[in-house]
Amino acid sequence: MMQKHQPGEAKTGKTGLRVLVVDDDPFYREMAEMSLKSAGYEILTAEDGAQGLEFLRSAHFDLAVIDLTMPGIDGYEVIRRTRSEGQNPNLPIVVMTGTDDVASVEQSFEAGATSFIAKPINWPLFVHHVNFVGRAARAESELRDAVRTVEFLSNLKSKVLSVLVTESQLPLRTAISMAELLRKEVYGPLGHKAYLEYAEDLYRSLDALSATQLKMLNAGRALATELLLQEEVVTLAEIVREAIEAMRDKAARRGIEIECRIAIPPDKTVRCDRALVNQALKIVLDSAISFGPRGSPISIDARVDVTGSFSFTVADDGPPLPDAMIREILATSPQRQTSAPSASRNTSLTISRVLTEAHQGRIAINSASGEGTIVRLMLPSERIAAVHEPRAEALSAPAIGPHSPVAEAPADSAATPALRTSAPPSAPPPALRVSGTPRLFGR
């Protein structure tokens, strides 16, 4: 005997796919519900077009089965409104119709229907029909995601390579000039002590050029395909210290003083691709060091807050970032062509955002004239864990600079000013998958 259910009551199936059935006829509604539920679908039913629209506006569905002929709001109007509003604009829709004229079928397709089936319905074939439409819709959705990902990565790859090529010119020109002085022995025989200084400059320039070329190669390989994660569990304080230590020499050369405030319990770990998170942190630090005035202070604030989320904040006294550039970095406006120095910072921070969002995190930026720039990377609490019961003390990272104080900060102390943020993704963006395959840029 068929079990009766109230319209609107969801029935859970094995596939995890959610189907909405909209029909004013209780017989067809119950038969569709029973057939699809037995095939493993989760079913929600609506007894007329108005209730169907209410469900479609407020919840997510993987597929809908809609009767065309209903009192009040008919199936055609339900389809049209579904395509233009609510949470399901690309929803696959199978229409049930008791009319067999071609005009009704054409009208339903013009409204946005995906497929149709005529009444009276062969219920076993109905289930197969729904399965087929669902598979086709998922394939189409995956294709749309793939196209968006390819377009995004292609644009980012072009910008990265353009900036890296520009950055490589300065050390290359310096190396050529130094080599020319040595070749012509401008200061006399090569025994002169000045040559030792030039040799050191030449070494640093060539080393910087080599590193830039390596980044170009790795960026080209990685961004040409998919950004893939190789995850491991890392001590959170350790990965922060690694990023700070990597920037020690560059900060010292520019006379940069860095104040570190680090409030990370020693037992906290993060589940991440160590190389990519390290790269994201270093990019933010490198940006502040490169674009802040020589000898100006830079502050770092790294903490696990009361919600268990991790934040890494870097503040500098450099010139403010234009609003348009911030919107581009946060992916809230289209990319545009910028000058070489601006493009360098723009693209670097964009890469940092991509790496952070690949870990379900987000980036935030605040920049104003006379106040400098604050950039914050945040990772969700889901990626942070404790090895054992948290201890009260905080870890302090080494300071960078001639007289850089290191302050311990309580984990729940006041944070920096409000920042503009990128949207926090609930899952990795399309094609930013978690797997054990190659990394972007390397460590």
Side-chain angles (χ1 to χ4, degrees):
M1 182 176 180
M2 187 185 303
Q3 184 179 358
K4 297 295 182 181
H5 300 286
Q6 292 299 317
E9 180 186 352
K11 291 77 178 177
T12 303
K14 298 178 182 178
T15 67
L17 298 179
R18 208 167 193 226
V19 176
L20 175 66
V21 177
V22 185
D23 198 319
D24 64 317
D25 188 323
F27 170 77
Y28 279 100
R29 193 168 60 240
E30 286 286 337
M31 287 299 299
E33 173 189 310
M34 184 181 69
S35 301
L36 293 174
K37 184 184 176 186
S38 66
Y41 289 95
E42 179 183 345
I43 308 301
L44 196 70
T45 60
E47 58 188 9
D48 55 35
Q51 189 178 43
L53 277 176
E54 180 183 345
F55 291 151
L56 288 166
R57 287 168 178 160
S58 60
H60 168 78
F61 294 94
D62 298 290
L63 189 141
V65 178
I66 300 175
D67 181 36
L68 288 180
T69 307
M70 293 184 289
I73 300 177
D74 61 19
Y76 303 108
E77 185 63 20
V78 172
I79 297 170
R80 278 192 288 268
R81 294 191 190 180
T82 299
R83 293 295 180 229
S84 61
E85 59 187 56
Q87 296 190 34
N88 304 273
N90 297 311
L91 181 71
I93 297 175
V94 177
V95 297
M96 295 190 296
T97 175
T99 59
D100 55 2
D101 62 291
V102 176
S104 296
V105 174
E106 290 180 347
Q107 185 180 352
S108 67
F109 281 120
E110 288 174 2
T114 307
S115 181
F116 81 98
I117 188 165
K119 296 178 180 180
I121 291 175
N122 181 317
W123 294 107
L125 291 181
F126 167 75
V127 173
H128 288 296
H129 188 86
V130 169
N131 288 339
F132 174 80
V133 172
R135 284 196 301 269
R138 289 192 292 276
E140 182 182 350
S141 176
E142 290 171 0
L143 179 60
R144 283 195 300 268
D145 288 343
V147 170
R148 286 197 299 268
T149 299
V150 168
E151 290 174 349
F152 170 76
L153 292 178
S154 176
N155 179 58
L156 183 58
K157 175 186 175 184
S158 299
K159 289 173 66 65
V160 169
L161 294 181
S162 174
V163 169
L164 291 178
V165 168
T166 301
E167 289 180 348
S168 71
Q169 296 305 303
L170 180 58
L172 182 58
R173 286 195 298 269
T174 302
I176 291 173
S177 299
M178 298 299 103
E180 187 72 3
L181 290 173
L182 293 173
R183 186 179 69 83
K184 294 182 177 180
E185 294 188 327
V186 173
Y187 293 101
L190 290 179
H192 194 284
K193 66 176 183 179
Y195 289 120
L196 296 177
E197 297 175 1
Y198 282 124
E200 182 65 25
D201 291 339
L202 180 61
Y203 170 79
R204 281 200 298 266
S205 296
L206 291 176
D207 184 61
L209 177 59
S210 175
T212 299
Q213 289 177 334
L214 181 61
K215 284 196 293 183
M216 290 171 63
L217 289 174
N218 287 337
R221 291 169 184 162
L223 295 177
T225 54
E226 297 175 348
L227 179 59
L228 304 170
L229 305 185
Q230 181 173 308
E231 294 195 332
E232 56 185 305
V233 176
V234 187
T235 302
L236 189 54
E238 180 182 332
I239 203 169
V240 170
R241 279 179 171 153
E242 283 180 2
I244 296 174
E245 281 295 316
M247 295 292 105
R248 177 185 292 275
D249 289 342
K250 182 167 185 176
R253 287 197 299 271
R254 301 200 78 237
I256 296 292
E257 238 180 67
I258 298 183
E259 297 180 359
C260 297
R261 292 170 54 83
I262 300 182
I264 303 175
D267 59 349
K268 289 295 183 182
T269 61
V270 57
R271 177 175 52 84
C272 67
D273 186 308
R274 181 176 190 146
L276 297 190
V277 170
N278 183 267
Q279 185 78 21
L281 299 179
K282 287 194 297 185
I283 285 174
V284 174
L285 261 177
D286 182 74
S287 176
I289 293 170
S290 299
F291 293 92
R294 283 183 175 272
S296 64
I298 288 178
S299 66
I300 300 173
D301 184 287
R303 66 181 60 243
V304 175
D305 64 23
V306 292
T307 68
S309 301
F310 167 68
S311 65
F312 182 81
T313 306
V314 178
D316 65 72
D317 289 335
L321 299 179
D323 285 345
M325 180 186 294
I326 294 177
R327 289 193 296 269
E328 291 168 16
I329 294 170
L330 300 181
T332 58
S333 73
Q335 300 292 316
R336 60 183 175 84
Q337 195 68 31
T338 53
S339 61
S342 297
S344 176
R345 190 165 201 186
N346 181 339
T347 304
S348 294
L349 291 177
T350 299
I351 293 173
S352 185
R353 175 181 66 80
V354 171
L355 300 182
T356 304
E357 290 183 352
H359 291 83
Q360 294 79 57
R362 53 195 174 117
I363 185 172
I365 300 174
N366 187 44
S367 190
S369 180
E371 299 179 9
T373 298
I374 301 172
V375 180
R376 180 183 300 160
L377 300 187
M378 293 160 279
L379 294 180
S381 58
E382 290 79 6
R383 286 191 170 268
I384 311 300
V387 177
H388 50 74
E389 285 299 315
R391 300 208 298 262
E393 67 269 23
L395 293 184
S396 296
I400 300 177
H403 308 287
S404 302
V406 178
E408 293 185 358
D412 59 350
S413 63
T416 46
L419 310 175
R420 278 182 281 182
T421 64
S422 60
S426 58
L432 304 187
R433 299 198 303 266
V434 176
S435 75
T437 44
R439 309 175 178 188
L440 176 65
F441 297 142
R443 188 167 299 180

